[in-house]
Amino acid sequence: MKKKRVFLLIGVIIIAFVAVFLVFWQMNKRQMNVELLPPSHDHTTWVLNTSSAYEALAVLNMLSGDPLAESIYSEDISSFEDKQTSEASKSIANIKAWKEQTGMMVTGVPTSYFSAIDPKSIDDLLKYSNDPELIKNILIENDESHSWAMPYYWTGDWKNFIDLLPDLKVALEWLRDIGFEEEWAMQYKPLLEQQAESLELELRDYNVIKTVEEHIGFSLPSDEISITLSYYWKPRGTHLFGTRFVTETASLEPEYFVRTAVHEMMHPPFNRWDGRARDAILPAIEQNSFLMNYFNHREMKYGYNDVDYWVDENMIRALEQYISEKLGVANVLSDRWGKYEDGGMHSIAPVVYMLLRQEKFPSKDASFESFIISMINEGYFSEIESQELYSDFFTNTPEPLDISL
Protein backbone atom coordinates (compact mmCIF):
# COMPACT_ATOMS: atom_id res chain seq x y z
CA MET A 1 0.00 0.00 0.00
CA LYS A 2 2.84 2.38 0.92
CA LYS A 3 4.58 1.66 -2.42
CA LYS A 4 1.38 2.53 -4.30
CA ARG A 5 1.12 5.80 -2.43
CA VAL A 6 4.76 6.63 -3.19
CA PHE A 7 4.30 5.86 -6.89
CA LEU A 8 1.09 7.90 -6.92
CA LEU A 9 2.88 10.83 -5.29
CA ILE A 10 5.77 10.59 -7.76
CA GLY A 11 3.26 10.52 -10.63
CA VAL A 12 1.51 13.65 -9.34
CA ILE A 13 4.86 15.45 -8.99
CA ILE A 14 5.88 14.51 -12.53
CA ILE A 15 2.55 15.68 -13.97
CA ALA A 16 2.81 18.96 -12.05
CA PHE A 17 6.38 19.48 -13.26
CA VAL A 18 5.39 18.85 -16.87
CA ALA A 19 2.45 21.23 -16.55
CA VAL A 20 4.65 24.00 -15.16
CA PHE A 21 7.25 23.36 -17.85
CA LEU A 22 4.62 23.63 -20.58
CA VAL A 23 3.31 26.89 -19.15
CA PHE A 24 6.78 28.45 -19.08
CA TRP A 25 7.56 27.05 -22.51
CA GLN A 26 4.42 28.62 -23.91
CA MET A 27 5.25 31.94 -22.22
CA ASN A 28 8.77 31.91 -23.62
CA LYS A 29 7.45 30.94 -27.02
CA ARG A 30 5.25 34.05 -27.00
CA GLN A 31 8.00 36.26 -25.57
CA MET A 32 10.18 35.66 -28.59
CA ASN A 33 12.56 37.87 -30.45
CA VAL A 34 10.45 38.87 -33.44
CA GLU A 35 11.77 41.35 -35.96
CA LEU A 36 8.84 43.25 -37.44
CA LEU A 37 8.67 43.80 -41.18
CA PRO A 38 9.91 47.21 -42.38
CA PRO A 39 7.45 49.75 -43.84
CA SER A 40 5.92 48.25 -46.97
CA HIS A 41 2.77 50.12 -48.02
CA ASP A 42 2.55 53.01 -50.46
CA HIS A 43 -1.10 54.00 -50.19
CA THR A 44 -4.19 53.86 -47.96
CA THR A 45 -7.61 52.46 -48.80
CA TRP A 46 -10.49 53.74 -46.66
CA VAL A 47 -13.60 51.66 -45.87
CA LEU A 48 -16.39 52.98 -43.63
CA ASN A 49 -19.29 50.92 -42.31
CA THR A 50 -21.78 50.39 -39.50
CA SER A 51 -22.52 47.48 -37.18
CA SER A 52 -25.35 46.85 -34.73
CA ALA A 53 -23.01 44.44 -32.90
CA TYR A 54 -20.69 47.23 -31.77
CA GLU A 55 -23.66 49.45 -30.94
CA ALA A 56 -24.99 46.71 -28.63
CA LEU A 57 -21.64 46.29 -26.87
CA ALA A 58 -21.44 50.07 -26.33
CA VAL A 59 -24.95 50.11 -24.83
CA LEU A 60 -24.09 47.33 -22.38
CA ASN A 61 -20.92 49.16 -21.42
CA MET A 62 -22.81 52.34 -20.54
CA LEU A 63 -25.63 50.48 -18.75
CA SER A 64 -23.07 48.69 -16.55
CA GLY A 65 -21.45 51.92 -15.39
CA ASP A 66 -19.43 54.36 -17.47
CA PRO A 67 -19.31 57.90 -16.04
CA LEU A 68 -18.29 59.46 -19.35
CA ALA A 69 -21.08 57.77 -21.32
CA GLU A 70 -23.66 58.38 -18.58
CA SER A 71 -23.28 62.14 -18.94
CA ILE A 72 -23.95 61.90 -22.69
CA TYR A 73 -26.65 59.23 -22.92
CA SER A 74 -28.68 59.85 -19.74
CA GLU A 75 -32.02 59.75 -21.59
CA ASP A 76 -31.08 56.61 -23.52
CA ILE A 77 -29.98 54.93 -20.30
CA SER A 78 -33.30 55.71 -18.61
CA SER A 79 -35.19 54.34 -21.59
CA PHE A 80 -33.20 51.08 -21.59
CA GLU A 81 -33.54 50.68 -17.83
CA ASP A 82 -37.33 50.96 -18.11
CA LYS A 83 -37.27 47.96 -20.46
CA GLN A 84 -34.99 45.73 -18.37
CA THR A 85 -36.22 42.35 -17.21
CA SER A 86 -35.12 41.11 -13.81
CA GLU A 87 -32.77 38.64 -15.51
CA ALA A 88 -31.21 41.37 -17.66
CA SER A 89 -30.82 43.67 -14.63
CA LYS A 90 -29.00 40.94 -12.74
CA SER A 91 -26.62 40.24 -15.63
CA ILE A 92 -25.89 43.94 -16.14
CA ALA A 93 -25.14 44.26 -12.42
CA ASN A 94 -22.76 41.29 -12.77
CA ILE A 95 -21.10 42.96 -15.76
CA LYS A 96 -20.58 46.07 -13.64
CA ALA A 97 -18.96 43.94 -10.92
CA TRP A 98 -16.78 42.30 -13.59
CA LYS A 99 -15.63 45.73 -14.76
CA GLU A 100 -14.77 46.80 -11.22
CA GLN A 101 -12.87 43.57 -10.57
CA THR A 102 -10.88 43.49 -13.81
CA GLY A 103 -10.52 47.23 -14.51
CA MET A 104 -11.75 46.51 -18.05
CA MET A 105 -14.64 47.88 -20.08
CA VAL A 106 -16.97 45.97 -22.38
CA THR A 107 -15.82 48.33 -25.13
CA GLY A 108 -12.19 47.40 -24.48
CA VAL A 109 -10.65 43.93 -24.66
CA PRO A 110 -13.96 42.05 -25.15
CA THR A 111 -14.83 44.22 -28.13
CA SER A 112 -11.34 43.75 -29.57
CA TYR A 113 -11.68 39.98 -29.23
CA PHE A 114 -15.11 39.93 -30.87
CA SER A 115 -13.76 42.05 -33.71
CA ALA A 116 -11.63 39.12 -34.83
CA ILE A 117 -14.81 37.65 -36.35
CA ASP A 118 -16.01 41.02 -37.69
CA PRO A 119 -19.50 40.84 -36.14
CA LYS A 120 -22.36 42.61 -37.88
CA SER A 121 -25.23 41.72 -35.56
CA ILE A 122 -26.16 40.59 -32.06
CA ASP A 123 -26.68 37.09 -33.46
CA ASP A 124 -23.04 37.07 -34.56
CA LEU A 125 -21.96 37.99 -31.03
CA LEU A 126 -24.17 35.27 -29.53
CA LYS A 127 -22.97 32.64 -31.98
CA TYR A 128 -19.33 33.14 -31.06
CA SER A 129 -20.11 33.63 -27.36
CA ASN A 130 -21.39 30.06 -27.44
CA ASP A 131 -18.18 28.84 -29.09
CA PRO A 132 -15.39 31.25 -28.04
CA GLU A 133 -12.69 28.78 -29.08
CA LEU A 134 -13.33 29.91 -32.66
CA ILE A 135 -12.28 33.43 -31.66
CA LYS A 136 -9.29 32.10 -29.75
CA ASN A 137 -8.11 30.13 -32.76
CA ILE A 138 -8.27 33.23 -34.99
CA LEU A 139 -6.29 35.25 -32.44
CA ILE A 140 -3.59 32.61 -32.08
CA GLU A 141 -3.38 32.01 -35.83
CA ASN A 142 -2.88 35.74 -36.35
CA ASP A 143 -0.23 35.86 -33.62
CA GLU A 144 1.72 33.06 -35.26
CA SER A 145 2.01 35.18 -38.41
CA HIS A 146 3.51 38.06 -36.40
CA SER A 147 1.59 40.49 -38.60
CA TRP A 148 1.02 42.92 -35.72
CA ALA A 149 3.42 44.48 -33.23
CA MET A 150 2.01 42.53 -30.29
CA PRO A 151 0.19 39.27 -29.54
CA TYR A 152 -3.59 39.57 -29.50
CA TYR A 153 -4.09 36.53 -27.30
CA TRP A 154 -3.10 36.87 -23.65
CA THR A 155 -4.12 34.20 -21.15
CA GLY A 156 -5.11 36.73 -18.46
CA ASP A 157 -7.27 38.80 -20.79
CA TRP A 158 -8.79 35.67 -22.29
CA LYS A 159 -9.79 34.36 -18.85
CA ASN A 160 -11.49 37.67 -18.06
CA PHE A 161 -13.26 37.52 -21.41
CA ILE A 162 -14.52 33.99 -20.75
CA ASP A 163 -15.69 35.01 -17.27
CA LEU A 164 -17.74 37.83 -18.81
CA LEU A 165 -19.51 35.76 -21.47
CA PRO A 166 -22.35 34.17 -19.45
CA ASP A 167 -23.74 37.53 -18.30
CA LEU A 168 -22.93 39.20 -21.60
CA LYS A 169 -24.98 36.57 -23.46
CA VAL A 170 -28.01 37.16 -21.24
CA ALA A 171 -27.78 40.92 -21.73
CA LEU A 172 -27.31 40.59 -25.50
CA GLU A 173 -30.33 38.28 -25.74
CA TRP A 174 -32.36 40.89 -23.85
CA LEU A 175 -31.31 43.64 -26.30
CA ARG A 176 -32.23 41.39 -29.20
CA ASP A 177 -35.61 40.54 -27.71
CA ILE A 178 -36.63 44.17 -27.08
CA GLY A 179 -35.97 45.00 -30.74
CA PHE A 180 -32.82 47.03 -30.16
CA GLU A 181 -31.41 46.36 -33.63
CA GLU A 182 -34.63 47.21 -35.42
CA GLU A 183 -34.96 50.50 -33.55
CA TRP A 184 -31.30 51.37 -34.20
CA ALA A 185 -31.74 50.51 -37.91
CA MET A 186 -34.66 52.96 -38.16
CA GLN A 187 -33.34 55.81 -36.02
CA TYR A 188 -29.58 55.89 -36.56
CA LYS A 189 -28.32 53.52 -39.28
CA PRO A 190 -29.52 55.53 -42.34
CA LEU A 191 -27.71 58.67 -41.21
CA LEU A 192 -24.59 56.73 -40.24
CA GLU A 193 -24.48 55.09 -43.68
CA GLN A 194 -24.92 58.45 -45.36
CA GLN A 195 -22.07 59.87 -43.28
CA ALA A 196 -19.89 56.85 -44.11
CA GLU A 197 -20.43 57.29 -47.85
CA SER A 198 -19.56 60.98 -47.74
CA LEU A 199 -16.50 60.51 -45.54
CA GLU A 200 -15.03 57.77 -47.74
CA LEU A 201 -14.76 60.30 -50.58
CA GLU A 202 -13.20 62.95 -48.35
CA LEU A 203 -10.65 60.64 -46.74
CA ARG A 204 -9.21 58.98 -49.84
CA ASP A 205 -6.52 61.65 -50.32
CA TYR A 206 -4.95 61.04 -46.88
CA ASN A 207 -2.20 58.43 -46.97
CA VAL A 208 -2.21 57.53 -43.29
CA ILE A 209 -0.83 53.97 -43.53
CA LYS A 210 2.36 54.98 -45.33
CA THR A 211 2.93 57.99 -43.06
CA VAL A 212 2.42 56.02 -39.85
CA GLU A 213 4.75 53.23 -41.02
CA GLU A 214 7.47 55.78 -41.82
CA HIS A 215 7.30 57.07 -38.25
CA ILE A 216 6.89 53.89 -36.20
CA GLY A 217 9.42 52.05 -38.33
CA PHE A 218 7.54 48.83 -39.09
CA SER A 219 4.85 47.59 -41.44
CA LEU A 220 1.17 47.52 -40.56
CA PRO A 221 -0.76 44.35 -41.48
CA SER A 222 -2.80 46.02 -44.24
CA ASP A 223 -3.06 49.16 -46.36
CA GLU A 224 -6.82 49.29 -45.67
CA ILE A 225 -8.25 51.32 -42.80
CA SER A 226 -11.75 50.20 -41.86
CA ILE A 227 -13.81 52.52 -39.65
CA THR A 228 -17.10 51.53 -38.04
CA LEU A 229 -19.24 54.59 -37.31
CA SER A 230 -21.30 54.33 -34.13
CA TYR A 231 -24.02 56.37 -32.49
CA TYR A 232 -23.45 54.91 -29.00
CA TRP A 233 -19.66 55.03 -28.89
CA LYS A 234 -19.21 58.56 -27.52
CA PRO A 235 -16.83 59.72 -26.19
CA ARG A 236 -14.39 56.96 -27.13
CA GLY A 237 -12.90 55.04 -29.99
CA THR A 238 -11.56 51.49 -29.81
CA HIS A 239 -8.89 49.78 -31.87
CA LEU A 240 -10.26 46.59 -33.36
CA PHE A 241 -8.60 43.59 -34.99
CA GLY A 242 -5.98 44.57 -37.59
CA THR A 243 -6.21 48.06 -39.08
CA ARG A 244 -9.80 48.63 -37.99
CA PHE A 245 -11.43 50.78 -35.33
CA VAL A 246 -14.85 51.89 -34.15
CA THR A 247 -15.55 55.51 -33.27
CA GLU A 248 -18.20 58.08 -32.55
CA THR A 249 -19.58 60.68 -34.97
CA ALA A 250 -19.58 63.76 -32.73
CA SER A 251 -17.48 65.44 -35.41
CA LEU A 252 -17.94 64.75 -39.11
CA GLU A 253 -14.91 66.71 -40.22
CA PRO A 254 -12.57 64.43 -42.18
CA GLU A 255 -9.66 65.83 -40.16
CA TYR A 256 -11.08 64.21 -37.02
CA PHE A 257 -11.16 60.78 -38.66
CA VAL A 258 -7.64 61.19 -40.06
CA ARG A 259 -6.33 62.07 -36.59
CA THR A 260 -8.19 59.15 -35.06
CA ALA A 261 -6.85 56.78 -37.72
CA VAL A 262 -3.28 57.97 -37.13
CA HIS A 263 -3.77 57.36 -33.42
CA GLU A 264 -5.42 53.94 -33.65
CA MET A 265 -2.94 52.56 -36.20
CA MET A 266 -0.17 53.10 -33.63
CA HIS A 267 -1.55 50.81 -30.92
CA PRO A 268 1.00 49.63 -29.91
CA PRO A 269 3.83 52.00 -30.93
CA PHE A 270 6.56 49.50 -29.99
CA ASN A 271 7.42 45.87 -30.66
CA ARG A 272 5.59 43.96 -27.91
CA TRP A 273 6.75 40.49 -28.93
CA ASP A 274 9.56 40.61 -26.42
CA GLY A 275 10.34 42.71 -23.37
CA ARG A 276 13.08 44.85 -24.87
CA ALA A 277 11.08 48.02 -25.39
CA ARG A 278 9.19 47.67 -22.13
CA ASP A 279 12.34 46.89 -20.14
CA ALA A 280 14.07 49.98 -21.56
CA ILE A 281 11.22 52.47 -21.37
CA LEU A 282 8.97 51.60 -18.42
CA PRO A 283 11.60 51.76 -15.63
CA ALA A 284 12.72 55.21 -16.81
CA ILE A 285 9.14 56.46 -16.52
CA GLU A 286 8.34 54.73 -13.24
CA GLN A 287 11.48 56.20 -11.63
CA ASN A 288 10.47 59.72 -12.68
CA SER A 289 8.32 61.06 -9.84
CA PHE A 290 7.41 64.21 -11.79
CA LEU A 291 5.84 62.27 -14.67
CA MET A 292 4.35 59.55 -12.44
CA ASN A 293 2.66 62.11 -10.20
CA TYR A 294 0.16 62.76 -13.00
CA PHE A 295 -0.59 59.04 -13.29
CA ASN A 296 -0.87 58.56 -9.54
CA HIS A 297 -3.40 61.41 -9.29
CA ARG A 298 -5.37 60.56 -12.44
CA GLU A 299 -9.14 60.35 -12.67
CA MET A 300 -10.03 56.67 -12.96
CA LYS A 301 -13.03 57.32 -15.22
CA TYR A 302 -10.81 57.95 -18.23
CA GLY A 303 -9.76 54.32 -18.28
CA TYR A 304 -5.95 54.63 -18.32
CA ASN A 305 -5.44 52.76 -15.08
CA ASP A 306 -2.60 50.46 -16.12
CA VAL A 307 0.77 52.21 -16.11
CA ASP A 308 2.01 50.28 -19.15
CA TYR A 309 -1.06 51.26 -21.19
CA TRP A 310 -0.84 54.85 -19.91
CA VAL A 311 2.77 55.11 -21.10
CA ASP A 312 1.86 53.75 -24.55
CA GLU A 313 -1.09 56.15 -24.78
CA ASN A 314 1.14 59.12 -23.98
CA MET A 315 3.69 58.10 -26.58
CA ILE A 316 0.95 57.67 -29.19
CA ARG A 317 -0.69 61.01 -28.41
CA ALA A 318 2.59 62.83 -28.88
CA LEU A 319 3.39 61.11 -32.18
CA GLU A 320 -0.22 61.50 -33.34
CA GLN A 321 0.01 65.29 -32.88
CA TYR A 322 3.37 65.38 -34.65
CA ILE A 323 2.17 63.34 -37.64
CA SER A 324 -1.17 65.16 -37.80
CA GLU A 325 0.62 68.49 -38.09
CA LYS A 326 2.53 67.14 -41.06
CA LEU A 327 -0.74 65.98 -42.62
CA GLY A 328 -2.39 69.33 -41.94
CA VAL A 329 -5.14 67.90 -39.72
CA ALA A 330 -3.82 68.47 -36.18
CA ASN A 331 -5.68 69.71 -33.14
CA VAL A 332 -4.73 73.17 -31.93
CA LEU A 333 -1.42 72.62 -30.16
CA SER A 334 -2.18 75.00 -27.30
CA ASP A 335 -5.22 72.85 -26.45
CA ARG A 336 -3.25 69.64 -26.06
CA TRP A 337 -2.52 67.73 -22.83
CA GLY A 338 -3.84 70.29 -20.35
CA LYS A 339 -6.59 69.78 -17.80
CA TYR A 340 -9.27 69.52 -20.49
CA GLU A 341 -7.65 66.44 -22.02
CA ASP A 342 -8.44 63.56 -19.66
CA GLY A 343 -7.88 65.83 -16.68
CA GLY A 344 -4.28 66.60 -17.66
CA MET A 345 -3.01 63.10 -16.87
CA HIS A 346 -0.87 62.72 -20.01
CA SER A 347 2.36 64.22 -18.67
CA ILE A 348 4.69 62.23 -20.93
CA ALA A 349 3.10 63.40 -24.20
CA PRO A 350 4.34 67.03 -24.19
CA VAL A 351 7.84 65.82 -23.28
CA VAL A 352 7.93 63.37 -26.19
CA TYR A 353 6.40 65.92 -28.57
CA MET A 354 9.09 68.49 -27.76
CA LEU A 355 11.80 65.87 -28.32
CA LEU A 356 10.29 64.84 -31.68
CA ARG A 357 10.54 68.43 -32.82
CA GLN A 358 13.91 69.08 -31.26
CA GLU A 359 15.49 66.04 -32.92
CA LYS A 360 13.59 66.47 -36.22
CA PHE A 361 12.30 62.89 -36.04
CA PRO A 362 12.38 60.62 -37.99
CA SER A 363 15.97 60.26 -39.06
CA LYS A 364 16.87 57.63 -41.63
CA ASP A 365 16.12 54.03 -40.54
CA ALA A 366 15.21 55.10 -36.97
CA SER A 367 12.06 53.58 -35.50
CA PHE A 368 10.00 55.39 -32.89
CA GLU A 369 11.04 52.72 -30.38
CA SER A 370 14.76 53.26 -30.99
CA PHE A 371 14.24 57.03 -30.87
CA ILE A 372 12.59 56.92 -27.43
CA ILE A 373 15.24 54.56 -26.07
CA SER A 374 18.00 56.85 -27.34
CA MET A 375 16.30 59.85 -25.66
CA ILE A 376 16.18 57.90 -22.39
CA ASN A 377 19.85 56.98 -22.71
CA GLU A 378 20.72 60.63 -23.30
CA GLY A 379 18.99 61.62 -20.06
CA TYR A 380 15.96 63.45 -21.40
CA PHE A 381 13.61 61.40 -19.20
CA SER A 382 15.33 62.34 -15.96
CA GLU A 383 13.14 64.36 -13.62
CA ILE A 384 14.97 67.62 -14.27
CA GLU A 385 15.08 67.31 -18.07
CA SER A 386 11.52 66.07 -18.45
CA GLN A 387 10.16 68.78 -16.18
CA GLU A 388 11.97 71.44 -18.21
CA LEU A 389 10.57 70.09 -21.47
CA TYR A 390 7.09 69.84 -19.97
CA SER A 391 7.21 73.39 -18.63
CA ASP A 392 8.65 74.71 -21.88
CA PHE A 393 5.74 73.23 -23.83
CA PHE A 394 3.11 74.95 -21.71
CA THR A 395 4.92 78.29 -21.24
CA ASN A 396 6.31 78.60 -24.77
CA THR A 397 3.96 76.49 -26.89
CA PRO A 398 5.62 76.24 -30.31
CA GLU A 399 3.91 77.01 -33.57
CA PRO A 400 2.57 73.91 -35.36
CA LEU A 401 4.90 72.32 -37.87
CA ASP A 402 4.58 73.78 -41.34
CA ILE A 403 5.97 70.66 -43.04
CA SER A 404 3.49 69.20 -45.49
CA LEU A 405 3.79 65.54 -46.45
Side-chain angles (χ1 to χ4, degrees):
M1 182 64 70
K2 288 184 179 180
K3 286 185 178 181
K4 287 184 178 180
R5 288 179 180 175
V6 170
F7 284 128
L8 180 61
L9 179 61
I10 292 173
V12 170
I13 292 173
I14 292 173
I15 291 171
F17 175 80
V18 171
V20 171
F21 171 79
L22 289 173
V23 168
F24 279 99
W25 177 82
Q26 186 67 19
M27 289 174 62
N28 289 330
K29 180 183 176 185
R30 296 183 65 76
Q31 291 290 314
M32 58 181 67
N33 184 357
V34 173
E35 295 299 329
L36 301 175
L37 295 175
S40 62
H41 297 110
D42 293 323
H43 71 283
T44 301
T45 301
W46 297 84
V47 176
L48 281 82
N49 53 58
T50 64
S51 168
S52 62
Y54 294 123
E55 300 283 12
L57 292 170
V59 166
L60 295 182
N61 188 71
M62 71 185 188
L63 290 178
S64 56
D66 181 345
L68 296 181
E70 287 168 2
S71 64
I72 298 170
Y73 298 104
S74 57
E75 292 184 9
D76 297 273
I77 290 172
S78 296
S79 176
F80 283 118
E81 287 177 343
D82 289 341
K83 300 174 184 177
Q84 281 181 21
T85 63
S86 58
E87 190 178 20
S89 296
K90 181 180 178 181
S91 287
I92 290 171
N94 290 341
I95 292 171
K96 182 176 182 178
W98 175 89
K99 289 166 71 173
E100 292 171 350
Q101 178 183 352
T102 63
M104 294 180 173
M105 296 184 291
V106 176
T107 49
V109 169
T111 295
S112 295
Y113 278 171
F114 275 123
S115 73
I117 50 98
D118 195 19
K120 300 300 183 185
S121 66
I122 290 177
D123 282 341
D124 288 343
L125 296 174
L126 289 171
K127 173 185 176 181
Y128 286 91
S129 294
N130 289 320
D131 194 357
E133 285 296 309
L134 294 173
I135 297 177
K136 180 179 176 180
N137 291 339
I138 294 172
L139 297 175
I140 292 177
E141 182 180 348
N142 179 82
D143 289 351
E144 289 175 348
S145 71
H146 306 134
S147 62
W148 197 248
M150 65 179 289
Y152 275 100
Y153 174 75
W154 295 97
T155 54
D157 287 348
W158 184 256
K159 180 185 181 302
N160 289 331
F161 176 64
I162 294 298
D163 290 344
L164 172 67
L165 287 182
D167 289 302
L168 192 66
K169 285 191 288 186
V170 172
L172 286 169
E173 288 169 350
W174 163 70
L175 282 178
R176 181 195 61 192
D177 293 344
I178 64 171
F180 166 76
E181 288 177 298
E182 290 79 6
E183 186 174 344
W184 169 80
M186 285 194 307
Q187 287 193 334
Y188 306 118
K189 186 178 181 181
L191 180 57
L192 290 170
E193 289 181 333
Q194 181 182 336
Q195 292 167 343
E197 184 178 355
S198 175
L199 283 166
E200 269 192 19
L201 296 175
E202 296 182 273
L203 292 171
R204 61 187 179 185
D205 293 331
Y206 292 97
N207 197 351
V208 166
I209 294 291
K210 180 181 179 182
T211 306
V212 166
E213 287 186 352
E214 289 172 347
H215 285 75
I216 58 178
F218 55 83
S219 179
L220 297 172
S222 172
D223 61 8
E224 178 181 290
I225 296 178
S226 177
I227 307 174
T228 299
L229 301 184
S230 169
Y231 171 77
Y232 286 109
W233 217 262
K234 300 184 188 74
R236 295 187 174 90
T238 295
H239 189 112
L240 303 176
F241 196 72
T243 51
R244 295 186 277 137
F245 64 94
V246 56
T247 190
E248 56 168 306
T249 56
S251 171
L252 290 175
E253 296 179 353
E255 292 83 359
Y256 163 78
F257 291 92
V258 175
R259 289 194 301 269
T260 305
V262 169
H263 183 106
E264 297 298 340
M265 294 307 104
M266 293 190 291
H267 275 292
F270 310 124
N271 186 342
R272 290 295 190 183
W273 280 101
D274 55 43
R276 289 178 296 176
R278 187 182 187 280
D279 291 346
I281 296 169
L282 196 58
I285 302 298
E286 291 181 318
Q287 292 165 18
N288 188 322
S289 60
F290 170 74
L291 296 176
M292 286 299 298
N293 182 60
Y294 290 85
F295 176 76
N296 294 333
H297 293 88
R298 70 198 180 280
E299 293 184 65
M300 301 284 285
K301 66 182 181 181
Y302 293 112
Y304 303 107
N305 299 316
D306 174 87
V307 66
D308 210 351
Y309 183 47
W310 172 72
V311 171
D312 272 12
E313 182 68 15
N314 271 261
M315 298 289 179
I316 290 169
R317 290 189 182 220
L319 191 51
E320 168 217 313
Q321 177 69 27
Y322 187 70
I323 293 174
S324 294
E325 288 178 6
K326 293 183 177 183
L327 291 170
V329 298
N331 279 311
V332 177
L333 191 56
S334 58
D335 291 343
R336 295 305 312 262
W337 309 311
K339 63 180 180 180
Y340 297 111
E341 186 170 337
D342 295 346
M345 68 184 296
H346 301 297
S347 56
I348 307 170
V351 174
V352 172
Y353 174 82
M354 294 295 279
L355 290 172
L356 290 168
R357 291 187 61 136
Q358 174 184 300
E359 303 298 318
K360 296 181 172 56
F361 179 81
S363 59
K364 186 178 181 182
D365 298 328
S367 67
F368 183 56
E369 177 180 318
S370 64
F371 170 77
I372 293 298
I373 292 174
S374 69
M375 293 296 98
I376 289 172
N377 292 337
E378 291 178 32
Y380 285 109
F381 283 85
S382 67
E383 287 190 33
I384 293 175
E385 291 287 344
S386 59
Q387 189 166 357
E388 285 183 0
L389 287 163
Y390 180 93
S391 300
D392 192 31
F393 175 82
F394 285 105
T395 56
N396 303 296
T397 303
E399 291 294 320
L401 292 170
D402 59 3
I403 301 171
S404 179
L405 291 175

